[in-house]
Amino acid sequence: MTRIVIIGGGPGGYEAALVGAQLGAEVTVVDCDGLGGASVLTDCVPSKTLIATAEVMTNFDSSYEELGIVVADDTPPIEQSARIIGVDLGKVNRRVKRLALAQSHDITASVTRAGARVIRGRGRLGGPQGIDGTRDVIVTAADGTETILTAECVLIATGGTPREIPDAMPDGERILNWTQVYDLEELPEELIVVGSGVTGAEFAGAYQALGSRVTLISSRDRVLPGEDPDAAAVLEDVFRRRGMNVIGRARAESAKRVGDRVEVTLSDGRVVTGTHCLMAVGAIPNTQGMNLEESGVKLKDSGHIWTDKVSRTTAPGVYAAGDVTGIFALASVAAMQGRIAMYHFLGDAVTPLNLKTVSSNVFTDPEIATVGYTQADVDAGRIDARVVKLPLLRNARAKMQGIRDGFVKLFCRPGTGIVVGGVVVSPRASELIHPISIAVDNNLTVEQIANAFTVYPSLSGSIAEVARQLHTRKTGAEA
């Protein structure tokens, strides 16, 4: 029986374990924190659970009057702008942790039920491949004892950890990274978020909705610099309109506690103060101390593991998946990389990783979902595509629900009308992107999208409407 050792129990690791066990291999998963990894225990599941509470509050706060909902309120007339609802952050965070642990336990049960073995500890490679085609994995338990496992295949899926700035080290109380916010019992009165990427934007929007006064510090000229510029502009406008203080083109040099407050010093000398500070300045791969390069595994300058499109590293029999590869920091991509690795090593049919079919979502309010080629690709000439953007303000269902912000954008090839990308900015955009993802993955045309029935009224109707506009332009141009 083929022996496989998987180091790391996140989405890349546990999905690979399920595939390997189902294909008849002897699979051992080495994990030190609990299956699900950071994605389940400290990142995706916890943050989206927190955001779910924030979403309810935002929806209520922003639309109850327009929708005709009457709330009994004894706030004095002079203070009528006071918040009507509040949040018990301690209770929210206890729910977050409970759900994360429950999900981890469910994953562990699924993996063991499939026939894989789970060992608690930290794994590292034992050196180059032996003459018999196997290699050792050394597992160090919490008490320091070591166990040696031998395998024909090793998958490294150890993920990443929050990047830290030497002069802004988290203390877990006032200066926090995104794994520590779930220990807070009280809502931060004034929260400074350093970093305007996906993690920073999501937490900034969530805590603002929960009731914190938020300052978002971005080193770039806009929030979400890696996302569609039209989408980022909508979100930044929403943030500012709801009272967030967004400081652009400002790099944080340091953060320090001064009594019960935090002072963040910017590179231009300005000082921003608040009661708490969340550092969201990226992540670094967990590749230290794993004996990788000594075992033939090539690392990039960033410390990430080099892999090809079927998850192979430069070392025979060693694969890698997830954030540790530095490709896309998405649970879905990690899971796909892990599955592809097992299919490839065990000789099953495999389709190489195609990043142009990856759909992703930013869980802000509104959400931003994307798939395929982007506006940046079109602007840079990497692909010739027609683009149509339709604001949700024209959508009947959006009007009914009091949705003011958002749009649907599609990209298609000018000659064939094949859909090559899309952007959705709306509540639950993560659900609306799926039909566009199917279109991109299956080379469907705007004509096919336009001719498919949609429910009326529905937000998804805007996808068909954009497709109809692209189809009209395509046929008009050809005529």
Side-chain angles (χ1 to χ4, degrees), residues 38 42-43 122 156-166 169-170 177-179 199 279-290 292 299-305 321-327 329:
T42 60
D43 193 354
R122 295 185 179 275
I156 301 168
T158 46
T161 54
R163 189 169 76 86
E164 296 177 341
I165 298 176
M169 297 298 289
N177 62 38
W178 68 76
T179 70
T199 300
M279 301 299 298
V281 290
I284 58 173
N286 292 328
T287 53
Q288 295 294 318
M290 292 189 64
L292 296 177
L299 299 181
K300 304 175 186 177
D301 292 340
S302 61
H304 294 94
I305 298 174
D323 292 5
V324 77
T325 67
I327 294 179

Side-chain angles (χ1 to χ4, degrees), residues 164-212:
E164 296 177 341
I165 298 176
D167 291 329
M169 297 298 289
D171 61 13
E173 295 178 356
R174 296 284 173 173
I175 303 174
L176 310 158
N177 62 38
W178 68 76
T179 70
Q180 298 169 329
V181 295
Y182 309 109
D183 292 326
L184 294 175
E185 285 294 320
E186 295 183 357
L187 187 70
E189 184 178 344
E190 302 169 72
L191 177 65
I192 304 167
V193 178
V194 178
S196 64
V198 173
T199 300
E202 287 184 346
F203 277 111
Y207 277 101
Q208 182 188 45
L210 294 174
S212 297

Side-chain angles (χ1 to χ4, degrees), residues 8-9 37 113 136 143 146 154 168 315 435 461 468 476:
R113 191 163 53 243
D136 292 338
D143 61 4
E146 292 187 343
V154 177
R468 278 190 287 272

Side-chain angles (χ1 to χ4, degrees), residues 70-395:
V70 177
V71 179
D73 183 20
D74 59 0
T75 305
I78 197 172
E79 300 173 1
Q80 280 297 319
S81 62
R83 292 186 64 85
I84 293 172
I85 54 175
V87 65
D88 181 340
L89 189 64
K91 187 173 183 179
V92 171
N93 281 339
R94 287 189 289 276
R95 177 174 183 265
V96 165
K97 293 179 179 180
R98 186 171 66 250
L99 291 180
L101 286 175
Q103 183 67 12
S104 178
H105 292 156
D106 287 345
I107 292 169
T108 302
S110 296
V111 168
T112 54
R113 191 163 53 243
R117 178 175 58 152
V118 179
I119 295 179
R120 182 60 65 93
R122 295 185 179 275
R124 68 181 188 276
L125 297 182
Q129 188 180 54
I131 58 174
D132 61 350
T134 66
R135 66 174 67 237
D136 292 338
V137 173
I138 303 171
V139 181
T140 304
D143 61 4
T145 59
E146 292 187 343
T147 303
I148 298 178
L149 306 174
T150 302
E152 285 80 23
C153 172
V154 177
L155 173 70
I156 301 168
T158 46
T161 54
R163 189 169 76 86
E164 296 177 341
I165 298 176
D167 291 329
M169 297 298 289
D171 61 13
E173 295 178 356
R174 296 284 173 173
I175 303 174
L176 310 158
N177 62 38
W178 68 76
T179 70
Q180 298 169 329
V181 295
Y182 309 109
D183 292 326
L184 294 175
E185 285 294 320
E186 295 183 357
L187 187 70
E189 184 178 344
E190 302 169 72
L191 177 65
I192 304 167
V193 178
V194 178
S196 64
V198 173
T199 300
E202 287 184 346
F203 277 111
Y207 277 101
Q208 182 188 45
L210 294 174
S212 297
R213 292 195 297 276
V214 176
T215 296
L216 178 60
I217 298 174
S218 172
S219 62
R220 306 287 283 275
D221 58 353
R222 61 179 171 86
V223 301
L224 295 176
E227 297 297 322
D228 180 270
D230 292 332
V234 169
L235 184 65
E236 184 166 339
D237 178 66
V238 170
F239 278 174
R240 293 182 185 276
R241 198 170 68 233
R242 292 175 179 169
M244 187 182 298
N245 179 23
V246 181
I247 303 176
R249 298 184 180 181
R251 186 174 298 276
E253 295 287 344
S254 66
K256 64 178 181 179
R257 288 186 62 168
V258 180
D260 289 336
R261 297 186 66 78
V262 177
E263 291 185 353
V264 176
T265 302
L266 308 182
S267 56
D268 60 8
R270 285 180 292 172
V271 177
V272 182
T273 65
T275 59
H276 297 76
C277 176
L278 170 62
M279 301 299 298
V281 290
I284 58 173
N286 292 328
T287 53
Q288 295 294 318
M290 292 189 64
N291 204 31
L292 296 177
E293 292 182 300
E294 297 82 352
S295 301
V297 177
K298 180 182 178 181
L299 299 181
K300 304 175 186 177
D301 292 340
S302 61
H304 294 94
I305 298 174
W306 181 92
T307 57
D308 63 13
K309 292 186 178 181
V310 290
S311 304
R312 287 179 297 191
T313 72
T314 53
V318 179
Y319 294 73
D323 292 5
V324 77
T325 67
I327 294 179
F328 271 173
L330 297 171
S332 58
V333 172
M336 184 64 74
Q337 288 177 297
R339 290 191 291 261
I340 286 173
M342 294 299 99
Y343 291 139
H344 183 268
F345 182 77
L346 294 172
D348 204 25
V350 61
T351 300
L353 184 67
N354 180 7
L355 296 180
K356 286 305 177 185
T357 63
V358 174
S359 57
S360 62
N361 194 71
V362 183
F363 288 86
T364 47
D365 180 32
E367 294 181 2
I368 300 173
T370 57
V371 65
Y373 284 92
T374 66
Q375 186 71 56
D377 293 325
V378 176
D379 294 343
R382 288 187 286 270
I383 188 171
D384 183 16
R386 295 185 183 277
V387 184
V388 166
K389 182 180 72 172
L390 183 68
L392 283 182
L393 277 172
R394 303 181 189 177
N395 183 286

